[in-house]
Amino acid sequence: MQILYQDEHLIAVNKPAGWLVHRSWLDRHETQFVMQTVRDQIGQHVFTVHRLDRPTSGVLLMALSSEVARTLSQQFELHQVQKTYHAVVRGYVLEGGTIDYALTEELDKLADKHANPDKGPKPAVSHYQPLAMVEMPVAIGRYATSRYSLVELKPQTGRKHQLRRHMVHIRHPIIGDTAHGDLRQNRGMAQHFACPRLMLHASHLQLAHPVSGEPLHISASWDAAWQGVMAQFGWLDVLPELVGVEFP
């Protein structure tokens, strides 16, 4: 596991796509968990303070004590941590904007079987900005070519699958999103561009250090699958600071 930052109070890693953050009774057949891997790697117990969806890669922050975990969790709950993601989406995103669209909580059939299914939608706000666009000579669906955009996403709130659901709401689903996205585009990306993963990456995390109060900015590079798409689309120069294969 690639460590992005570590001191005596906290640790940040570049979570690989497809890894679960921690083990639960629902995942008894799984073998790859970030928390257990990092614990074994540094020989110290770690505490979660936020989550990344299993198919999402990028910056994952963990505390090295329960006290620091509480402080960091409060920062996330109070929206004092700035999270920046990048995504490849279907179609041309011509201008930036803000999506203010309340979301009903998504419940897991097993993990949330005792939860109230009738909860109303909760406020959810995301900011987006297009960075690059491309038209590829590949027929996916009814058109002879396929159009894609690279976008920067900044969630203001933290609802489950918020960015994925918000991009579907404005008709630009994130490529590789099997739960909410465009199945034909997902298959096309895997077939023509050798990328079967969700194209959503947590690139940057900015916060005040929970002990010193000093500004902390942590960044995570793209993996090989991301960089393969960036190279094929001619986008490697758009965000050069994120170029760098991290996972063999």
Side-chain angles (χ1 to χ4, degrees):
M1 186 72 59
Q2 189 212 10
I3 296 175
L4 303 171
Y5 176 88
Q6 182 180 3
D7 61 26
E8 61 183 306
H9 304 291
L10 51 88
I11 185 170
V13 300
N14 195 346
K15 174 192 169 297
W19 282 52
L20 291 164
V21 173
H22 59 75
R23 188 189 305 271
S24 75
W25 65 272
L26 295 171
D27 310 307
R28 57 185 178 276
H29 300 301
E30 300 293 333
T31 59
Q32 295 177 317
F33 303 93
V34 176
M35 282 187 65
Q36 283 76 12
T37 299
V38 174
R39 179 198 63 197
D40 295 343
Q41 187 172 342
I42 67 173
Q44 186 175 352
H45 188 72
V46 296
F47 300 79
T48 56
V49 295
H50 70 124
R51 297 289 296 273
L52 286 180
D53 294 339
R54 178 176 184 165
T56 304
S57 57
V59 181
L60 181 69
L61 187 65
M62 291 168 283
L64 298 180
S65 70
S66 58
E67 294 80 12
V68 170
R70 281 194 294 271
T71 302
L72 286 172
S73 295
Q74 289 175 351
Q75 289 188 37
F76 278 95
E77 291 169 4
L78 295 174
H79 311 301
Q80 296 172 345
V81 179
Q82 182 175 331
K83 296 174 282 187
T84 302
Y85 293 74
H86 289 96
V88 177
V89 303
R90 182 190 71 188
Y92 282 175
V93 180
L94 299 175
E95 59 184 5
T98 296
I99 305 167
D100 188 347
Y101 178 68
L103 297 172
T104 302
E105 185 177 3
E106 289 186 337
L107 299 178
D108 184 273
K109 290 182 180 179
L110 292 176
D112 299 317
K113 64 181 179 180
H114 299 300
N116 181 5
D118 300 320
K119 287 183 179 179
K122 295 182 178 180
V125 179
S126 303
H127 308 285
Y128 65 97
Q129 185 67 40
L131 302 177
M133 293 175 284
V134 70
E135 185 170 19
M136 301 299 290
V138 172
I140 301 176
R142 56 181 173 162
Y143 300 107
T145 60
S146 300
R147 293 178 172 182
Y148 303 98
S149 296
L150 175 65
V151 294
E152 179 182 88
L153 303 171
K154 292 186 176 183
Q156 185 173 317
T157 52
R159 308 304 176 199
K160 186 176 182 180
H161 295 174
Q162 176 176 312
L163 295 177
R164 296 157 69 174
R165 297 168 72 185
H166 270 177
M167 294 312 291
V168 169
H169 178 67
I170 63 170
R171 304 182 190 278
H172 292 290
I174 298 175
I175 298 301
D177 186 351
T178 58
H180 310 92
D182 185 321
L183 180 59
R184 287 186 300 186
Q185 289 291 343
N186 297 346
R187 289 173 174 170
M189 181 66 75
Q191 177 183 352
H192 298 288
F193 306 111
C195 188
R197 62 155 291 179
L198 174 70
M199 294 301 290
L200 179 63
H201 181 74
S203 306
H204 307 290
L205 207 62
Q206 291 179 265
L207 67 153
H209 192 283
V211 176
S212 70
E214 293 295 317
L216 192 58
H217 185 179
I218 305 169
S219 300
S221 300
W222 291 323
D223 63 15
W226 252 94
Q227 289 180 105
V229 172
M230 296 299 103
Q232 292 174 84
F233 288 2
W235 291 344
L236 283 175
D237 293 335
V238 178
L239 294 165
E241 71 274 14
L242 298 181
V243 175
V245 177
E246 307 296 349
F247 315 114

